[in-house]
Amino acid sequence: MFENLTNKFEEIFSSLKKAPSLDEAQVDEGLRGIRQALLEADVSLDVAKDFIEKVKPKALGQEIIRSTSPGDMVVKIVYDELVDLLGATNNEINLNAVPPVPMMLVGLQGSGKTTTTAKLAKFLENNKKKKVMMVSLDIYRPAAQEQLRSLGEQNNILTLPIIEGQQPADICRRAISAANLNGAEIILFDTAGRTQIDLQMMSEIKQIEAVINPTETFLVADSLTGQVAASVAKEFKNTVNLSGIILTRADGDARGGAAVSMKFVSNVPIKFLGIGEKIDNLEVFHPDRIANRILGMGDIVSLVEKAAKDLGEENLKQAEENLKKGQFSMEDYLSQLRQMKKMGGI
Ligand SMILES: Nc1nc2c(ncn2[C@@H]2O[C@H](COP(=O)(O)OP(=O)(O)OP(=O)(O)O)[C@@H](O)[C@H]2O)c(=O)[nH]1
Ligand SMILES: [Mg+2]
């Protein structure tokens, strides 16, 4: 997954890390490499530019912490920005509604909606201990409803019995009363594939959304389509209230452009990654872990974090001693204020 990016970053960092000190030209060269790597990963130009603009002043103005090298500090700065770009924190799945909690999956044809519906159902049953019912609203593709029914049967997940010829809005209403009857706590609605330019199909999901009022509307997008996936998300968001992205086929994606661009371009967070065809090939998306995987620099990141923490403790100890001795100076006061600022708002 995303190995092209990882290889490129490794190359760039290995030359930065070797340097005993870094001047502006060296940092610039490193940043040029990073920009190139992002573009080759099919990250959009805007994203790459913005990323470099954020990293550069930090990399140049960095206060080098004793016991770390300037190269390590740059790695840490890039890591922090990448975590931020990927969405900062994981967004927990929203189960906040009176059961049966409705959720729906939308997306382009063949993006992986039906498979992902079953994976998500299994995830919610195993990890959240919820009884789930799956419902197909794809009345257009022959055998689409049967595909979901059969996935349900294979994996022991409840599905709504199929009634031929019923329209999506009516299926939704029937699903809600069926879930109430059989005690399902979550209903997952799988929808037909559609494109953002098919106005009739787009107005259909709007109608479905109004009937079920979902807590989560996931766009299922194919990781292999790179920055196109991010722009598709942006456009779907104009029609429905997208709450998260599930990026499928990440297992086969060496580039990673969709994962990196998604949040920036669409302002919708990635919540899950599809990492294979099997029922349990669904992974919660943790920006920090993915950034670590992409940069392959977990050791250095924790080293710098530890050095920063040690330094903070050292300063604090010194200030305490000075305070005891009645020598708490303006310098100490300033250092304490800086330390507090680093910890973020209080
Ligand atoms: N390798 C890999 N394959 C996946 C993943 N997710 C889905 N697929 C495969 O993608 C193909 C299409 O999946 P579907 O779930 O049928 O896609 P869909 O979006 O429901 O398709 P339509 O209903 O026709 O629009 C299947 O062969 C899946 O096994 C994934 O994360 N990794
Ligand atoms: Mg389908």
Side-chain angles (χ1 to χ4, degrees):
M1 202 195 300
F2 314 152
E3 54 269 28
N4 290 5
L5 259 181
T6 304
N7 293 341
K8 278 275 150 49
F9 273 111
E10 242 158 34
E11 232 170 77
I12 296 161
F13 287 148
S14 74
S15 63
L16 280 180
K17 276 186 317 197
K18 276 186 218 129
S21 66
L22 288 178
D23 60 19
E24 181 160 356
Q26 283 166 304
V27 171
D28 267 339
E29 196 191 316
L31 293 179
R32 250 199 316 278
I34 292 175
R35 184 171 172 276
Q36 192 60 34
L38 290 175
L39 293 178
E40 279 169 21
D42 198 20
V43 166
S44 76
L45 191 59
D46 284 349
V47 176
K49 240 175 85 185
D50 185 79
F51 188 77
I52 299 301
E53 275 166 17
K54 282 186 181 139
V55 170
K56 187 169 178 177
K58 291 182 186 159
L60 288 175
Q62 57 166 304
E63 291 173 39
I64 307 289
I65 300 173
R66 202 161 29 122
S67 82
T68 63
S69 73
D72 287 355
M73 289 298 291
V74 174
V75 171
K76 173 70 164 78
I77 291 165
V78 172
Y79 166 83
D80 285 343
E81 285 306 325
L82 188 58
V83 172
D84 214 45
L85 181 60
L86 291 169
T89 52
N90 163 253
N91 297 274
E92 268 283 317
I93 194 158
N94 181 6
L95 300 173
N96 207 356
V98 178
V101 178
M103 301 182 191
M104 76 167 169
L105 291 86
V106 302
L108 302 182
Q109 261 119 20
S111 58
K113 296 174 295 300
T114 305
T115 322
T116 304
T117 303
K119 289 181 192 173
L120 191 60
K122 203 78 204 160
F123 170 85
L124 291 165
E125 295 207 330
N126 289 344
N127 296 63
K128 305 282 172 190
K129 308 293 172 218
K130 299 285 183 193
K131 184 170 171 187
V132 181
M133 184 171 81
M134 306 193 293
V135 180
S136 170
L137 300 177
D138 187 353
I139 59 171
Y140 305 101
R141 190 167 59 75
Q145 298 187 70
E146 172 55 27
Q147 183 193 352
L148 189 68
R149 192 204 62 75
S150 139
L151 278 169
E153 190 179 86
Q154 285 161 38
N155 297 291
N156 205 12
I157 308 160
L158 200 64
T159 52
L160 182 73
I162 299 166
I163 296 181
E164 292 295 335
Q166 197 166 40
Q167 293 300 299
D170 292 328
I171 301 177
C172 291
R173 293 189 194 97
R174 181 162 61 91
I176 296 165
S177 43
N180 274 318
L181 277 177
N182 60 31
E185 299 160 279
I186 298 174
I187 314 178
L188 295 185
F189 291 94
D190 173 27
T191 63
R194 70 198 75 220
T195 56
Q196 62 275 24
I197 50 171
D198 185 340
L199 297 182
Q200 201 179 336
M201 287 297 278
M202 288 310 271
S203 100
E204 189 201 69
I205 42 169
K206 221 173 169 149
Q207 195 196 350
I208 294 170
E209 183 183 44
V211 175
I212 64 175
N213 190 21
T215 62
E216 294 274 8
T217 298
F218 292 114
L219 178 82
V220 179
D222 181 349
S223 189
L224 297 175
T225 60
Q227 54 176 306
V228 170
S231 60
V232 166
K234 196 172 155 187
E235 298 196 34
F236 266 75
K237 206 181 148 204
N238 291 333
T239 303
V240 284
N241 185 19
L242 279 190
S243 59
I245 312 278
I246 304 181
L247 207 55
T248 58
R249 304 205 181 92
D251 49 307
D253 183 10
R255 297 194 299 171
V260 174
S261 312
M262 196 53 98
K263 178 76 197 310
F264 183 95
V265 173
S266 69
N267 203 25
V268 182
I270 301 175
K271 292 200 175 171
F272 293 93
L273 287 180
I275 50 164
E277 295 192 90
K278 293 204 205 79
I279 187 83
D280 58 352
N281 289 154
L282 185 75
E283 188 179 292
V284 175
F285 187 82
H286 293 285
D288 51 347
R289 291 185 207 165
I290 297 294
N292 249 332
R293 211 183 283 175
I294 290 176
L295 298 183
M297 297 279 150
D299 295 352
I300 292 182
V301 169
S302 35
L303 190 97
V304 175
E305 274 165 4
K306 183 170 179 307
K309 189 168 160 275
D310 290 352
L311 185 68
E313 280 165 8
E314 208 173 284
N315 284 348
L316 189 67
K317 230 161 137 191
Q318 188 62 50
E320 253 174 35
E321 265 164 34
N322 289 352
L323 196 61
K324 273 189 214 146
K325 286 188 238 150
Q327 294 172 340
F328 192 81
S329 66
M330 284 314 282
E331 267 310 308
D332 291 327
Y333 183 58
L334 193 63
S335 144
Q336 290 308 302
L337 283 181
R338 284 209 183 107
Q339 207 58 43
M340 266 155 71
K341 207 171 130 217
K342 269 187 205 148
M343 295 194 302
I346 297 180

